[in-house]
Amino acid sequence: MSAEEVEEVIPVLRVRDVAAAGRWYARLGFVQQWEHRFEPGLPVFTEVARGRVRLYLSEHEGDARPDTLVYLRVTDLDEVAAEFGVRAEEAPWGRELELRDPDGNRLRVGPVAA
């Protein structure tokens, strides 16, 4: 593997409305990278990114199950908490908070490991 090649995992989350989900994920600092649909009126598949962190959001029913859990480590945990009006809670392993997107997918958010 060359220095330019980086292996990665990109979670796929099932959403009913990519536009609504995109607005919600934008509050977390994600920006839509691209969008694909086979033809007008068919389900949308898109990528959102926050720096090097990427998620796929899919309107396709068979791509993922609702109520998925993704753990996201961020450098701005307190700002994320403020944006969503929640508090980060102390857990034995560190501070974190949990959010649910409009489709019920869970995001557990914690600080970048020191």
Side-chain angles (χ1 to χ4, degrees):
M1 181 180 313
S2 72
E4 294 84 38
E5 297 174 322
V6 176
E7 293 180 336
E8 63 184 329
V9 172
I10 304 173
V12 178
L13 300 176
R14 170 80 169 92
V15 298
R16 288 181 298 259
D17 179 343
V18 159
R23 288 188 298 274
W24 190 88
Y25 281 91
R27 293 176 62 198
L28 273 170
F30 284 88
V31 176
Q32 186 179 39
Q33 302 300 297
W34 50 262
E35 177 178 299
H36 175 267
R37 72 172 75 218
F38 288 103
E39 61 183 61
L42 291 182
V44 177
F45 189 90
T46 191
E47 176 184 281
V48 294
R50 175 188 160 114
R52 294 186 57 178
V53 175
R54 299 187 299 160
L55 297 170
Y56 289 153
L57 305 178
S58 178
E59 292 178 349
H60 295 269
E61 288 186 24
D63 279 352
R65 301 178 126 194
D67 195 36
T68 296
L69 172 63
V70 173
Y71 200 99
L72 175 64
R73 292 194 181 273
V74 299
T75 57
D76 57 345
L77 182 62
D78 292 323
E79 288 85 358
V80 169
E83 172 64 27
F84 288 90
V86 298
R87 284 189 44 221
E89 300 292 331
E90 287 295 331
W93 50 88
R95 293 175 65 231
E96 66 180 23
L97 58 93
E98 187 164 307
L99 303 172
R100 282 193 180 266
D101 76 9
D103 297 287
N105 295 300
R106 297 175 297 140
L107 280 85
R108 198 161 294 147
V109 185
V112 172

